[in-house]
Amino acid sequence: MNTHVKILGWLWIANGVLSICMAISALVIFNWPGTIPNASDSLLVSVGSLCFFLPGIIASVAAGYGLLNYKNWARILAIILAILNLILFPIGTALGIYTLVIMFNDETKALFNGEVAPA
């Protein structure tokens, strides 16, 4: 299970990094001159939407970091994020199912409770 937990940690970090890259790309694309005619508030809307998604991005990276360090709070955070990601078909659904399967495994629970030493 150590390998699966490490893979999940890196997947959650990658999810957060890719999400911030997509958000910044959308910010640039929608505010490129001439993209949206007569859209004087497009920068405000784009920055607002970036701020809306920022807590989820930070939580994703934090969960990944915590999973890599076998923190119990990260296991709980990963379960919450996995449930929320189930509706984001197909990648969020796959990541959510994989996370739930690994996090609810008895060996993983023992690993995060300190009963089994990580390899």
Side-chain angles (χ1 to χ4, degrees):
M1 277 301 140
N2 293 336
T3 305
H4 289 288
V5 172
K6 293 286 185 185
I7 290 170
L8 270 176
W10 285 112
L11 284 174
W12 279 109
I13 290 172
N15 183 44
V17 170
L18 289 174
S19 296
I20 195 73
C21 289
M22 289 187 330
I24 291 172
S25 296
L27 182 73
V28 170
I29 289 169
F30 289 125
N31 291 296
W32 197 264
T35 303
I36 302 173
N38 300 324
S40 60
D41 294 333
S42 66
L43 180 62
L44 182 62
V45 171
S46 298
V47 171
S49 63
L50 179 65
C51 291
F52 177 76
F53 290 109
L54 201 57
I57 293 168
I58 292 170
S60 180
V61 173
Y65 175 78
L67 288 175
L68 290 174
N69 293 305
Y70 300 101
K71 303 291 184 185
N72 199 32
W73 59 263
R75 181 178 165 269
I76 296 166
L77 180 59
I79 290 170
I80 293 168
L81 289 174
I83 292 169
L84 294 174
N85 271 286
L86 288 174
I87 62 171
L88 301 174
F89 185 79
I91 295 175
T93 304
L95 181 59
I97 291 171
Y98 182 52
T99 301
L100 292 173
V101 166
I102 299 302
M103 290 297 117
F104 284 121
N105 188 301
D106 291 333
E107 189 178 330
T108 305
K109 290 177 188 177
L111 184 67
F112 278 91
N113 289 331
E115 297 169 13
V116 178

